[in-house]
Amino acid sequence: MKNTLHIAQRDLSGFFLSPIAYVVMFFYLLLAGILFTRIQFDPLRPAELRVFFNYNLWLMIIITPALSMRLMSEELRSGTVEPLMTAPVTDTAVIVGKWLGAMGFFAVMLLPTVTYVFVIMIWANPDPGPIASGYVGTLLAGGVYLAIGLLASVLTRNQVIAFIASVFIILLFTVVPFFVSRELPALAGAMAYINIFRHCEDFAKGLIDASDLLYFLTGIAMFLAFAVKALESRKWR
Amino acid sequence: MIRVERLTKWYGPVLALDRIDLNVERGRIVGFLGPNGAGKTTAIRILTGFLPAGSGRASINGHDVFSDSMAVRSSIGYLPESTPLYPEMRVDEQLHYFGKLHGLSRTQRRKRITELNDACGLTNIIRRPIGQLSKGNRQRVGLAQALVHDPPVLILDEPTVGMDPAQIASVRQFISDLGQKKTVLLSTHILPEAERTCNQVVIITGGKIVADGTPEQLKASVRSRARVRVEVKANPLAVKQALEPVEGVAGVTTTADHGWCTALIDMTQKNDENDALRERLAKTVTEHGWPLRSLGFEGGSLEEFFIEITSRQASAVA
């Protein structure tokens, strides 16, 4: 348990020491800023961040894999996985620690967007509830995205492949269900259930539904469990 | 301290380790020698729990490598082959990180890192980012990292690669000092290194252990193979008949080549009296009036033994 936190701490500080993370953060905040000023911040819209949260999920499809791609791939490529996996740490501690580290950086990256609330507050009186729940939803969706990215990162020592694979898997749980339910209406219910976007809508509305919470937590747990298994299987390949 | 029984490892269809047996007592420095691709790193990775074995048993410090991996990991310090370190971290950060993973408290880590600072010569580089260090300095950091939790067993995969001769000498001294208290298994393909630092040498080639003993024992087995070589211009049969009765000759094998005959003479006595034997052989040759091209003592170094034993294995495999 302690080791999980040590690994999380190292990987979080690893982000701050890597130029890629700053580049990703720069582009994320640039795009999020455009999103906010061009779409959300409009006199005709209610004083809230709902539209921002929805579009933000799209942005995160390419932003979070850029954060998660190096988590394990870099260790596999440089060989640092060897001292790490021969120290008394479990595979689960490595995976959960790395995911927590990435979540930490993701939260830090998200933090400057809180200023948008203050910008709205200059002209209007936004309701803090839906904004808070919107951030919870964004963090949970980011958690699933990062768990998927971490799984992809365990599977290859090549960061570019890890990036592409995680974008692809995330699309399977976000955009692809829209098309599938259009082509095969019989599957519409199932497709709506697996769609990450659908589960975020309630959070953006200000609704924290136990079924949505369960969906995200099982999603995160499932992809992290896959990543642990993938890391274990590396030994048997 | 380290016990290995019939350890076997396949990489797909390739047999990397073939029923390896190894026994290392406490306080020994063991040199694990072999040509590249012999299976040294594979064996080390299995011992450290990084790779599973196909079959066989291995234990370190009384803990089974396969069923009690965490206890094994705590009792070994491991320096992997290419010294992988996090390039973005500073030297002390890297050492603190591994100290934390081994469950050391902050005060324990501080104390230990100060000790290692002097022991591994890190004083000038302790705050430098690892990415900026030279290969030799990285190697010192890797060594310090392996020692950070003060393990009873050290496993070092090619610890002196990339170092200059002065650094090699200091690391060799350092390892010798460590051998006072700890069990050290170090792999190398540099023979003199093993000869000087180790008190047990294990030679592995083609996934098999082909020799295991003290450097003196291995050298003695080389000397027992030493022979005298004589090249004369004569009939091989006549040479054989003439040289066999000479005092001190155990046997003669001859080969003919363009009228010249090369005779390899095994000796009854191993070490001493070689000079006298050579004198007697020279006398015999001159008595027969054969033109003599060379007469010399052959074999004797651990290096030749190593090359012979590893190439023999290679040709047997081919």
Side-chain angles (χ1 to χ4, degrees):
Chain A
M1 187 58 217
K2 255 188 169 171
N3 278 343
T4 308
L5 296 178
H6 295 321
I7 292 168
Q9 192 190 10
R10 198 216 74 85
D11 273 83
L12 178 58
S13 57
F15 277 111
F16 287 102
L17 296 170
S18 110
I20 299 174
Y22 288 105
V23 172
V24 172
M25 194 163 177
F26 171 79
F27 280 106
Y28 170 71
L29 290 174
L30 184 72
L31 292 170
I34 292 171
L35 208 67
F36 174 71
T37 49
R38 295 284 135 201
I39 303 171
Q40 177 72 69
F41 193 64
D42 187 323
L44 299 174
R45 284 193 190 275
E48 53 172 30
L49 282 179
R50 209 161 135 186
V51 180
F52 166 73
F53 285 132
N54 286 340
Y55 281 97
N56 193 34
L57 290 174
W58 286 85
L59 256 186
M60 279 156 54
I61 293 176
I62 50 162
I63 293 297
T64 52
L67 295 179
S68 61
M69 64 183 185
R70 69 190 292 275
L71 286 174
M72 269 321 281
S73 301
E74 182 60 19
E75 302 239 9
L76 293 170
R77 191 195 57 77
S78 70
T80 46
V81 66
E82 208 169 333
L84 179 63
M85 300 303 290
T86 52
V89 292
T90 59
D91 293 4
T92 311
V94 170
I95 293 297
V96 176
K98 285 189 170 286
W99 178 79
L100 282 175
M103 280 303 281
F105 188 79
F106 178 63
V108 169
M109 196 173 75
L110 220 51
L111 205 60
T113 65
V114 177
T115 53
Y116 305 161
V117 183
F118 298 110
V119 173
I120 295 177
M121 277 163 70
I122 298 172
W123 286 277
N125 238 336
D127 184 359
I131 289 172
S133 70
Y135 274 110
V136 172
T138 305
L139 281 172
L140 287 170
V144 178
Y145 286 10
L146 287 172
I148 289 171
L150 180 54
L151 169 64
S153 181
V154 174
L155 293 172
T156 173
R157 57 178 60 196
N158 184 321
Q159 293 190 25
V160 177
I161 294 175
F163 176 82
I164 293 169
S166 31
V167 171
F168 182 77
I169 302 172
I170 293 170
L171 287 177
L172 288 181
F173 290 91
T174 50
V175 179
V176 173
F178 283 127
F179 294 105
V180 174
S181 50
R182 194 196 290 166
E183 297 301 319
L184 301 164
L187 291 176
M191 287 299 122
Y193 183 74
I194 69 161
N195 195 335
I196 293 173
F197 288 178
R198 285 282 163 84
H199 292 274
C200 275
E201 279 168 10
D202 285 347
F203 282 103
K205 272 185 245 170
L207 208 68
I208 297 183
D209 187 332
S211 75
D212 292 330
L213 263 181
L214 193 69
Y215 168 84
F216 283 119
L217 295 179
T218 49
I220 291 166
M222 183 179 80
F223 285 111
L224 290 183
F226 285 163
V228 171
K229 287 294 155 197
L231 188 61
E232 279 171 10
S233 80
R234 179 199 49 81
K235 284 188 177 182
W236 306 100
R237 272 183 266 153
Chain B
M1 216 48 184
I2 302 177
R3 232 167 273 280
V4 175
E5 279 170 47
R6 300 180 67 78
L7 202 64
T8 304
K9 171 79 186 173
W10 293 83
Y11 285 123
V14 181
L15 183 61
L17 288 182
D18 190 2
R19 286 160 294 170
I20 295 259
D21 288 303
L22 183 65
N23 201 345
V24 178
E25 298 304 326
R26 186 183 295 269
R28 285 283 185 99
I29 303 179
V30 181
F32 210 37
L33 271 143
N36 290 323
K40 292 178 303 229
T41 297
T42 303
I44 282 174
R45 284 183 169 169
I46 291 172
L47 283 177
T48 54
F50 187 66
L51 281 180
S55 65
R57 293 157 58 80
S59 71
I60 289 180
N61 205 11
H63 306 291
D64 188 276
V65 168
F66 308 114
S67 62
D68 201 2
S69 180
M70 288 302 154
V72 169
R73 295 184 200 188
S74 296
S75 47
I76 54 174
Y78 175 38
L79 174 68
E81 196 176 6
S82 52
T83 327
L85 302 164
Y86 297 103
E88 74 271 17
M89 288 172 97
R90 291 176 196 278
V91 173
D92 54 345
E93 289 170 346
Q94 171 97 22
L95 296 179
H96 271 287
Y97 178 50
F98 274 85
K100 278 186 211 166
L101 293 183
H102 280 283
L104 302 185
S105 71
R106 182 188 295 261
T107 43
Q108 281 173 314
R109 292 198 307 267
R110 284 215 180 119
K111 184 167 167 283
R112 188 69 188 143
I113 290 168
T114 317
E115 287 167 15
L116 290 170
N117 229 337
D118 302 330
C120 301
L122 302 177
T123 317
N124 293 328
I125 56 170
I126 195 79
R127 287 299 295 161
R128 296 254 304 271
I130 289 165
Q132 294 177 3
L133 299 181
S134 68
K135 185 79 178 72
N137 278 336
R138 288 166 48 92
Q139 207 73 17
R140 289 157 185 256
V141 177
L143 207 56
Q145 179 184 307
L147 284 162
V148 77
H149 54 296
D150 204 8
V153 179
L154 264 179
I155 296 182
L156 313 171
D157 202 350
E158 313 233 337
T160 54
V161 161
M163 290 186 168
D164 62 45
Q167 288 172 324
I168 290 178
S170 79
V171 166
R172 196 180 280 153
Q173 184 57 45
F174 183 56
I175 292 171
S176 298
D177 295 345
L178 284 175
Q180 312 282 325
K181 297 170 288 189
K182 297 180 191 301
T183 310
V184 184
L185 176 71
L186 68 94
S187 91
T188 176
H189 52 244
I190 307 162
L191 216 81
E193 182 172 307
E195 214 175 320
R196 267 177 246 169
T197 19
C198 304
N199 33 42
Q200 183 181 348
V201 172
V202 177
I203 299 180
I204 179 172
T205 176
K208 280 192 169 117
I209 288 181
V210 289
D212 185 350
T214 64
E216 289 71 31
Q217 281 172 331
L218 295 188
K219 257 191 257 175
S221 75
V222 177
R223 220 171 277 138
S224 72
R225 249 196 289 281
R227 291 175 293 200
V228 177
R229 181 192 177 96
V230 184
E231 272 185 285
V232 289
K233 197 169 197 172
N235 184 337
L237 206 65
V239 173
K240 199 171 160 73
Q241 280 170 351
L243 296 184
E244 260 171 354
V246 174
E247 193 198 331
V249 173
V252 181
T253 33
T254 53
T255 44
D257 178 33
H258 294 99
W260 287 86
C261 166
T262 307
L264 293 171
I265 295 141
D266 291 308
M267 301 168 295
T268 48
Q269 263 162 319
K270 298 306 173 200
N271 311 320
D272 321 318
E273 294 211 44
N274 283 330
D275 294 342
L277 174 64
R278 273 180 279 174
E279 268 170 42
R280 285 196 294 277
L281 288 171
K283 199 166 157 236
T284 316
V285 169
T286 43
E287 272 167 8
H288 282 80
W290 294 324
L292 178 68
R293 191 153 68 177
S294 74
L295 191 157
F297 189 63
E298 195 179 62
S301 80
L302 197 52
E303 204 138 0
E304 262 174 90
F305 174 63
F306 177 72
I307 290 167
E308 188 196 325
I309 203 164
T310 52
S311 61
R312 194 198 298 155
Q313 195 71 26
S315 60
V317 169

